[in-house]
Amino acid sequence: FNNIKVAYPSDKSIVDLFVAQVKNSPDNIAIVFDKKVLSYIELDRLSNQLAHYILSNKDVNTGDLIGIMLERSDWLIISFLAILKTGCAYVPIDLNYPEERKKDIKKDSNYAVLIDNLLIDSFKENRTKYPDFLPKIIIKPTDLAYVIYTSGSTGKPKGVLIEHKSLVHLCFWHQNAYAIDEESKGTLFSGIGFDACVWEIYPYLLFGASLYPIDDIFRYDLDKLPQFLTDNNITHSYIPTSLCENFVDQEVHLPNTIILTGGDALRLNKSTDIVIYNNYGPTETTVVATNYKVSNILEDNIPIGKPIANTQVYIMDS
C-alpha cells in the first residue's frame, strides 16, 4: 500500500525545469486567455523582464516573501514565474478575501512587496527597459516556492511553507498519473488562495502543454463551462467537488476531457461517462496525497483512493 517510491528530479527547482522546457518547445502555446495567446518563449521573456523589474525597483533578497493579489489571467502566471525567478517565494491572496483576512496575511507573512494591478500597469509602461534573460540567481530545491494560508483548525489562517522540490514532485507524479504531454490542454479554475491553483499550473508548464485560465463568466455556469471545455479541446480540468456532482446530475458529456476533482467528499447520484479522478490531500503535503479513478458504475461512497508516489498514508481508528 505504501511501497511506492518513484524517482523524480529532486535536485531541480521549478525555474530550472521551466527554463529547460522553454528550450525544448519555445514556440508551443503556453497560455491562452481572453483571445490572447502566449508561447513558451514569450512567457519566459515576459516573466524574466518582470523579475528584473522587481529586483531593480523593490528591496527584495533571495528567500523573501512577495504577496500577489491578481485575478486568474495570463499576468497571474507571468507574475508567479517572475517571483520564483527572483529567488523569492509568493504569498497568494484572493481578491475576494475579506479585508480583515488580507490584513492578517500581510501582518503574519510580512511580505516585502505586493504584486497587484498597479504594479503590473507600472511594469507594462516600463517593460522595454528591462532585460529578457533569466536573472543570475541560484535557486535551490529546498528554497521556498510559495506560502499558502489555510483556514486553519482554529479559524485563524496559518501559512503553510512549500519548497520547490515538493512542487516538482507533485508535477512529476501528475504528469505520469494523467499522461500530460505537449498536446495536453489544462485549465486554471481555482482562486489563487486555494492550493489546487499550483496543481493546475505547473504540471502543464513543465511539460510543454497549454494552459487556459477560466474567466469568471464561465466558471460556475453549467452550460457555459462544459462548452468552454469542449470548444477549447481541454484534455484535463480540475473542478471542485460540488460542480463535478452537478456535471453528473445534469448528464454533461465530456468525451475528451478528464475531470480531476477534490476538496470535499464526492457523492454521485448517477452513473456517468465522464472520466473522473477523485483527489485528496492537505495543503501541508502539497495539494494531493491520494487519488482514485471513479468507476462509471454508480458508487454510493466514493473513496479518496491510494497514496500517490512517495507518499505514505496511515488509516487511523476512532
Side-chain angles (χ1 to χ4, degrees):
F1 187 77
N2 277 328
N3 185 22
I4 42 169
K5 287 191 176 180
V6 177
Y8 72 99
S10 57
D11 60 336
K12 302 291 184 186
S13 71
I14 289 291
V15 174
D16 294 332
L17 294 164
F18 175 72
V19 169
Q21 186 58 54
V22 172
K23 290 177 182 175
N24 287 339
S25 58
D27 299 321
N28 278 22
I29 293 173
I31 303 174
V32 179
F33 179 73
D34 194 25
K35 299 181 181 178
K36 183 177 178 182
V37 177
L38 282 179
S39 68
Y40 270 78
I41 191 68
E42 289 170 328
L43 175 58
D44 187 45
R45 288 171 177 167
L46 273 169
S47 55
N48 287 341
Q49 287 180 304
L50 181 54
H52 281 289
Y53 172 90
I54 294 167
L55 292 167
S56 298
N57 293 285
K58 306 296 178 181
D59 182 17
V60 295
N61 298 297
T62 302
D64 282 353
L65 300 182
I66 294 180
I68 182 164
M69 195 156 44
L70 295 170
E71 292 284 6
R72 280 176 316 285
S73 69
D74 48 339
W75 281 103
L76 175 68
I77 297 158
I78 292 164
S79 300
F80 280 164
L81 289 168
I83 292 169
L84 296 179
K85 287 175 174 182
T86 65
C88 296
Y90 62 84
V91 182
I93 306 160
D94 197 305
L95 282 163
N96 297 316
Y97 280 166
E99 288 303 316
E100 198 61 37
R101 177 156 183 173
K102 292 176 186 175
K103 289 177 184 174
D104 285 346
I105 291 174
K106 180 176 183 180
K107 182 180 178 182
D108 188 70
S109 66
N110 194 30
Y111 56 73
V113 177
L114 177 67
I115 294 185
D116 57 9
N117 287 323
L118 286 173
L119 186 144
I120 295 298
D121 289 343
S122 172
F123 167 69
K124 287 178 183 176
E125 290 175 11
N126 298 283
R127 179 171 67 85
T128 54
K129 298 177 184 176
Y130 298 94
D132 62 5
F133 54 78
L134 184 69
K136 291 179 179 173
I137 292 172
I138 296 170
I139 302 166
K140 302 188 295 296
T142 52
D143 287 345
L144 285 185
Y146 64 92
V147 177
I148 200 154
Y149 277 78
T150 69
S151 57
S153 55
T154 62
K156 182 176 173 59
K158 63 178 187 293
V160 178
L161 288 68
I162 302 296
E163 298 175 350
H164 278 258
K165 67 177 183 180
S166 298
L167 187 49
V168 167
H169 173 263
L170 176 74
C171 293
F172 275 77
W173 165 76
H174 184 103
Q175 186 270 336
N176 182 62
Y178 300 121
I180 308 300
D181 59 25
E182 293 187 6
E183 301 301 314
S184 299
K185 294 181 177 182
T187 57
L188 174 55
F189 180 100
S190 300
I192 70 169
F194 182 38
D195 67 344
C197 180
V198 300
W199 182 42
E200 295 182 80
I201 296 172
Y202 299 103
Y204 299 91
L205 294 184
L206 297 194
F207 294 98
S210 302
L211 191 62
Y212 288 68
I214 302 176
D215 194 280
D216 278 342
I217 61 171
F218 299 106
R219 281 176 81 217
Y220 286 101
D221 190 309
L222 271 175
D223 295 318
K224 289 180 180 177
L225 180 56
Q227 196 62 50
F228 176 90
L229 300 177
T230 301
D231 290 348
N232 290 292
N233 298 309
I234 299 299
T235 59
H236 301 76
S237 184
Y238 166 79
I239 62 170
T241 306
S242 60
L243 197 51
C244 180
E245 292 169 346
N246 288 337
F247 273 20
V248 173
D249 287 342
Q250 299 293 324
E251 299 182 353
V252 169
H253 293 284
L254 294 168
N256 301 314
T257 307
I258 294 171
I259 295 297
L260 312 176
T261 194
D264 207 343
L266 180 63
R267 297 177 179 87
L268 301 180
N269 299 315
K270 296 180 180 178
S271 58
T272 179
D273 58 3
I274 302 175
V275 177
I276 299 171
Y277 285 86
N278 193 26
N279 299 266
Y280 166 80
T283 303
E284 289 82 353
T285 64
T286 318
V287 190
V288 181
T290 69
N291 81 324
Y292 177 78
K293 185 176 183 180
V294 178
S295 166
N296 62 4
I297 300 168
L298 185 62
E299 298 181 67
D300 291 332
N301 183 22
I302 298 184
I304 58 171
K306 293 183 179 180
I308 71 167
N310 306 308
T311 300
Q312 292 185 301
V313 169
Y314 297 88
I315 300 172
M316 315 300 279
D317 63 16
S318 58

